[in-house]
């Protein structure tokens, strides 16, 4: 591979395994990992307790954090793998919260205005990896990791997110896309499953940067 990718991103619903796969791929390839700010996020616990009250605050926080990450990726000299993309903030989470009535029209319009201004300065990832997962597996994974603030996540909220993910991925044209169905694999416990993912990524990257 003569030229190296600058930006790889891993996308998918809550509980799909994005963070774990990001960590594993960063270690395997020697990439720098950028993670979603959940541990230090000042709004997350409040949001899951009262989505209507805290949706706008949470989404603006995530949007700003992701925008800073993307700018750092493009100005740096290392290959970065990013846990979740700025597109998901707007096209999945903010959109779903608005559709489910947690994000009022005024706040949603204000949010989209901010996103539209930011996205003009954003370059798409060289490769977007989407982890496709059914609701049952998402719920099992969320329960297994046992984060207190996720205990209040509603099934209908996850279903709404999955629906928006399907729509977004079907229309994604910003760059190279690799869809990985994680329903029947365990890339953490099964080395062959992880090796299969790596093999697919290698094929995509060699095609991009041969």
């Amino acid at each position: 591979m003569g030229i190296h990718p600058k930006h790889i991103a891993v996308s998918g619903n809550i509980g799909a395994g994005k963070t774990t796969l990001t960590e594993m791929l960063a270690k395997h390839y020697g990439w720098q990992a950028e993670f979603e700010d959940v541990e230090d996020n000042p709004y997350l616990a409040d949001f899951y307790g009262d989505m209507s009250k805290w949706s706008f605050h949470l989404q603006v926080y995530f949007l700003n954090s992701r925008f800073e990450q993307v700018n750092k990726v493009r100005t740096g000299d290392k290959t970065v793998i990013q846990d979740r993309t700025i597109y998901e903030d707007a096209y999945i989470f903010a959109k779903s919260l608005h559709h489910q009535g947690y994000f009022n029209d005024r706040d949603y319009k204000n949010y989209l205005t901010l996103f539209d201004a930011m996205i003009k300065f954003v370059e798409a990832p060289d490769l977007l990896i989407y982890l496709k997962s059914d609701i049952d597996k998402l719920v099992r994974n969320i329960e297994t990791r046992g984060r207190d603030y996720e205990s209040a996540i509603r099934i209908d909220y996850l279903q709404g997110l999955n629906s928006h993910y399907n729509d977004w991925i079907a229309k994604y044209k910003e760059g190279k896309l690799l869809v990985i169905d994680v329903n029947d694999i365990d890339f953490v416990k099964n080395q062959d499953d992880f090796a299969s993912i790596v093999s697919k990524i290698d094929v995509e990257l060699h095609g991009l940067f041969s």
Side-chain angles (χ1 to χ4, degrees):
M1 193 184 304
I3 304 173
H4 294 285
K6 191 68 177 286
H7 183 194
I8 311 297
V10 182
S11 65
N13 206 341
I14 301 167
K18 298 179 306 303
T19 301
T20 302
L21 184 61
T22 297
E23 291 172 341
M24 294 173 70
L25 292 175
K27 182 178 180 180
H28 176 82
Y29 287 102
W31 294 336
Q32 178 179 309
E34 288 285 342
F35 297 102
E36 189 170 41
D37 187 3
V38 293
E39 298 302 329
D40 297 323
N41 190 312
Y43 298 109
L44 205 54
D46 290 327
F47 166 74
Y48 285 127
D50 189 341
M51 291 185 176
S52 296
K53 182 176 180 180
W54 295 102
S55 287
F56 181 75
H57 304 75
L58 179 72
Q59 293 309 311
V60 169
Y61 181 89
F62 273 134
L63 184 63
N64 180 62
S65 175
R66 210 94 55 190
F67 186 64
E68 289 182 348
Q69 279 186 350
V70 171
N71 285 334
K72 186 164 65 173
V73 168
R74 291 299 176 182
T75 56
D77 57 3
K78 296 181 179 179
T79 297
V80 173
I81 182 166
Q82 182 186 29
D83 174 6
R84 189 164 278 148
T85 67
I86 195 169
Y87 302 111
E88 290 161 89
D89 290 315
Y91 301 146
I92 309 300
F93 289 91
K95 185 176 182 180
S96 181
L97 288 168
H98 179 247
H99 281 193
Q100 295 185 59
Y102 297 119
F103 214 147
N104 66 48
D105 290 342
R106 181 181 61 179
D107 287 346
Y108 186 54
K109 182 178 180 180
N110 189 12
Y111 175 89
L112 289 181
T113 299
L114 178 61
F115 173 77
D116 289 341
M118 286 182 169
I119 205 66
K120 296 174 183 177
F121 301 96
V122 171
E123 292 184 47
D126 297 310
L127 176 64
L128 175 67
I129 303 167
Y130 171 57
L131 304 185
K132 183 178 181 179
S133 178
D134 292 338
I135 297 297
D136 289 346
K137 182 156 188 177
L138 296 175
V139 171
R140 289 197 302 270
N141 288 346
I142 290 170
E143 291 175 346
T144 298
R145 64 192 186 193
R147 294 173 179 169
D148 289 341
Y149 58 80
E150 290 182 341
S151 62
I153 294 179
R154 297 166 55 99
I155 297 296
D156 61 341
Y157 177 60
L158 289 175
Q159 290 171 333
L161 294 177
N162 247 19
S163 176
H164 290 304
Y165 265 111
N166 290 336
D167 292 342
W168 173 57
I169 290 299
K171 299 173 184 175
Y172 183 78
K173 304 295 183 184
E174 282 77 10
K176 193 74 172 177
L177 171 66
L178 173 62
V179 177
I180 299 174
D181 191 325
V182 296
N183 285 300
D184 297 318
I185 66 173
D186 188 337
F187 55 80
V188 177
K189 296 180 179 178
N190 190 322
Q191 188 174 1
D192 288 341
D193 287 341
F194 179 66
S196 176
I197 292 174
V198 168
S199 177
K200 292 175 181 177
I201 292 172
D202 286 342
V203 168
E204 297 294 339
L205 293 183
H206 278 290
L208 277 171
F209 300 98
S210 58

